[in-house]
Amino acid sequence: MSKNNFKQRRDFLRTLIAGGAAGALGSMGQLALMREASAASPAFSGYKAMVCVFLYGGNDSFNMIMPTGTDALKGHPAYAASRGDLSVANNPLAFGDGTLSSGSGNPYYSAGETNGAYLKGLYPIGNSGLGINGVMPEFAHLVANNRASVMSNIGNLVQPVTRAEIQAKTANLPLFLFAHNHQQRALQTGQGNNLNDVGWAGKIADSWTGVNNNSPLGLNISYAGSDRMLIGKDSVPLAIGTGTPPRFYDMYKDKYTAHTDKRALFQALAGIENTSSTGKVSFDQFNTHKTQDPFESILAGASKKSMNAFDLLYDSLNDYEPNYTSKDSYGNDLFSVPTSDQLGLSDDIGGRLLSQLGAVAKMIDIGANGHFTDGYNRQIFMVSLGGFDTHSEQDTKHPLLLRELSLALSSFQKALEEKGHANKVTTFTMSDFGRTLGNNGDGTDHAWGAHHLVMGGDGANLSGNFNGGQVIGTLPEMVLDGNDDYSDRGRIIPTTAQDQLNATMCRWFGVDGTLMPALFPNLANFAQSAGDIESAYLSRLFNA
């Protein structure tokens, strides 16, 4: 790089920071730096959304979904022997019609203690041989009523792997297995053997330029920060919080006279000829900033797109409230945070995921119903819940996380059904990895395979819609140092790849098969028939 170019870059960055544009771009996920992608946007006649709930830290899903049978290797006795004093009792609980009472009226209630509720019992999933932790009655109700399914023993894979291959050191394993940041990145890039690529949802955005009527908000929206999954080569996500939408300070649209004059000046500096609504200031071609400098052009484009996006967000979100009539399982308004007395636990839940999914439900209703100009066709959302790295105090930390996850998913599903969007949205969980079957005395450690949750549909399981009420995948052996163990600690080897699940949802979403190898380069390794990539899809997840 020449000294002159280096100085230009340095001055450009200094200009960004001094002008406050860096903060604006950050809050928009650097939205304004999108370049024109080469692929044309596909034509869609309806609305669909995918919602990723990322459970950061590595969720102990073997205490979220437990075996109930008596099989010597895959049943509850084997699980309990491996888990020790962290095992959930094989005690069937009843969740009734999905409504709960406060405190002792809850099926999981155990003398008001969080750890007691966590280990008290489970809700059997039909005849599947699995049950759902007692602190998740809402999710159990969703599965029983065909609104959700369980993915068994899924994880980050490059290709199918056996214990024998691992012991012989011939297995093609994901890079940096058991490391938080690397596994998060691998799951979000869609390839366990390449940590340097962009996100698979970002690649969809690259290929679908203009899919939402060229809205400045784009395809991907994150309430979890600028995570890699939503970032493409030519596109970046809108990253926002759940509170009041951002705006440029002192340039609020149609607020005061001074504001409109400042907006006109701001646009003139960005190269736009315009006149303020007061008529006091006018910027024609002779007094509007024009530039051939590439860095100044990027800043100008960033400024224009940011202001347009801020205006659209603020107007749309502030002018509309869903006003749900549905209530949560305690009879509260949807997305409310129940008190510890209502929960019947000795601790409170955080409420962050409830807030995020409440914001997503509102955005979906606005987008699907045409509040964003001509309406949206496709959206991908990302939300998150952290704290799952439960090396210690698992019996008091993990139940609160599972309790919030269950409540949040239930409120979200009720909101979608009330507004008529249930068959338009598929929600799924991802997490760094699963955790060890064996416990370390106070918690569990980094592992591999895990159970995950998928939700959608209205329960009718009609053609073209989500197929709920299932357990999909292969149940692993619940034995330390067994056939499904990476070592001797209960690091279970996945039998289904996360890429298979993601690709199946993308096909439902409308992604063309020709694009799938670019999104998930290892997908062909899981094909049941050589050369037939479609045989890698999890066909039971959606009804044909």
Side-chain angles (χ1 to χ4, degrees):
M1 181 185 297
S2 70
K3 290 184 178 180
N4 186 54
N5 283 344
F6 179 82
K7 182 177 185 299
Q8 283 186 304
R9 290 176 183 268
R10 183 188 61 197
D11 291 343
F12 168 66
L13 293 173
R14 184 184 295 123
T15 302
L16 277 177
I17 296 169
L25 294 179
S27 66
M28 294 300 293
Q30 296 183 5
L31 172 71
L33 298 183
M34 290 189 294
R35 298 186 300 241
E36 191 71 24
S38 58
S41 172
F44 294 119
S45 58
Y47 176 91
K48 285 185 178 180
M50 292 192 294
V51 181
C52 175
V53 180
F54 208 101
L55 310 176
Y56 278 101
N59 176 35
D60 188 346
S61 65
F62 294 136
N63 261 24
M64 178 176 73
I65 308 290
M66 293 73 57
T68 59
T70 59
D71 185 272
L73 297 177
K74 297 187 177 184
H76 192 273
Y79 154 82
S82 297
R83 276 269 133 147
D85 57 8
L86 272 180
S87 63
V88 176
N90 194 10
N91 173 32
L93 303 175
F95 52 80
D97 63 357
T99 60
L100 301 175
S101 301
S102 293
S104 60
N106 297 325
Y108 55 81
Y109 183 81
S110 179
E113 295 298 325
T114 300
N115 57 350
Y118 179 54
L119 304 177
K120 179 179 180 179
L122 47 79
Y123 309 101
I125 306 174
N127 298 317
S128 67
L130 291 177
I132 300 166
N133 191 296
V135 298
M136 302 182 73
E138 296 86 3
F139 184 75
H141 193 259
L142 290 169
V143 174
N145 288 279
N146 299 335
R147 268 78 169 177
S149 290
V150 171
M151 296 299 311
S152 177
N153 197 22
I154 189 170
N156 181 25
L157 285 167
V158 176
Q159 64 184 44
V161 172
T162 66
R163 176 179 166 93
E165 291 171 334
I166 292 172
Q167 292 179 330
K169 301 187 184 304
T170 60
N172 187 358
L173 299 175
L175 298 173
F176 301 103
L177 200 56
F178 315 130
H180 287 292
N181 58 337
H182 294 100
Q183 293 310 293
Q184 291 165 9
R185 181 176 294 188
L187 290 166
Q188 294 183 29
T189 60
Q191 43 192 314
N193 53 350
N194 181 4
L195 303 180
N196 296 316
D197 207 351
V198 295
W200 57 264
K203 290 180 181 178
I204 298 176
D206 288 345
S207 298
W208 287 3
T209 303
V211 67
N212 291 321
N213 299 301
N214 292 307
S215 167
L217 303 190
L219 174 73
N220 296 332
I221 299 177
S222 175
Y223 288 94
S226 296
D227 285 284
R228 186 173 289 253
M229 189 183 95
L230 304 183
I231 299 173
K233 291 181 179 178
D234 302 300
S235 60
V236 286
L238 163 64
I240 56 175
T242 59
T244 302
R247 291 189 291 176
F248 281 100
Y249 180 74
D250 242 13
M251 286 191 288
Y252 305 152
K253 184 179 179 182
D254 299 327
K255 184 73 172 176
Y256 302 110
T257 299
H259 286 184
T260 61
D261 293 343
K262 289 178 182 178
R263 284 173 65 90
L265 175 59
F266 179 87
Q267 293 182 78
L269 291 173
I272 304 172
E273 297 177 32
N274 75 106
T275 301
S276 74
S277 60
T278 66
K280 289 183 177 180
V281 292
S282 180
F283 299 94
D284 59 21
Q285 59 179 318
F286 300 107
N287 55 14
T288 297
H289 181 63
K290 303 292 184 182
T291 180
Q292 299 299 316
D293 183 277
F295 301 116
E296 289 186 356
S297 294
I298 290 175
L299 176 58
S303 300
K304 289 186 285 188
K305 289 184 178 180
S306 294
M307 176 169 277
N308 290 340
F310 287 166
D311 288 345
L312 178 59
L313 270 176
Y314 192 84
D315 291 347
S316 298
L317 294 179
N318 273 22
D319 290 346
Y320 173 74
E321 284 299 329
N323 296 320
Y324 305 111
T325 59
S326 302
K327 301 295 181 182
D328 72 9
S329 52
Y330 294 104
N332 302 324
D333 290 340
L334 293 185
F335 305 108
S336 297
V337 180
T339 65
S340 57
D341 288 339
Q342 285 181 309
L343 294 170
L345 303 176
S346 47
D347 305 279
D348 292 310
I349 61 174
R352 184 170 181 268
L353 183 60
L354 281 158
S355 175
Q356 291 179 70
L357 283 179
V360 172
K362 183 176 179 179
M363 287 284 276
I364 286 174
D365 193 42
I366 290 172
N369 286 329
H371 295 280
F372 284 138
T373 315
D374 296 322
Y376 269 27
N377 295 307
R378 293 293 186 271
Q379 290 182 291
I380 301 176
F381 295 92
M382 190 167 185
V383 297
S384 67
L385 182 62
F388 286 91
D389 198 19
T390 51
H391 290 284
S392 62
E393 301 178 58
Q394 179 165 318
D395 63 347
T396 55
K397 294 176 180 178
H398 197 227
L400 298 175
L401 298 170
L402 294 184
R403 190 77 202 91
E404 180 165 355
L405 177 62
S406 181
L407 282 162
L409 291 176
S410 176
S411 281
F412 188 56
Q413 179 67 19
K414 287 181 178 180
L416 294 177
E417 290 193 29
E418 180 173 326
K419 297 299 181 179
H421 306 314
N423 286 319
K424 306 170 188 174
V425 182
T426 297
T427 303
F428 61 103
T429 62
M430 287 204 300
S431 190
D432 314 15
F433 34 61
R435 304 194 77 82
T436 52
L437 265 177
N439 80 60
N440 59 24
D442 198 20
T444 51
D445 301 316
H446 301 182
W448 194 0
H451 303 313
H452 278 286
L453 315 178
V454 189
M455 184 178 76
D458 59 5
N461 289 355
L462 297 178
S463 177
N465 294 337
F466 179 78
N467 193 15
Q470 302 185 86
V471 173
I472 300 174
T474 304
L475 302 185
E477 292 185 2
M478 295 279 103
V479 179
L480 302 182
D481 205 17
N483 293 323
D484 292 331
D485 194 348
Y486 174 92
S487 56
D488 60 357
R489 301 179 59 192
R491 285 175 158 169
I492 299 302
I493 303 166
T495 45
T496 300
Q498 183 74 45
D499 292 350
Q500 291 178 268
L501 172 60
N502 294 348
T504 304
M505 292 185 295
C506 285
R507 181 176 65 168
W508 165 85
F509 194 59
V511 174
D512 187 83
T514 58
L515 181 59
M516 212 67 77
L519 303 185
F520 308 106
N522 298 316
L523 185 62
N525 296 338
F526 303 94
Q528 301 302 303
S529 303
D532 180 14
I533 197 170
E534 290 196 5
S535 64
Y537 297 144
L538 306 175
S539 57
R540 290 171 52 199
L541 194 64
F542 297 93
N543 274 321

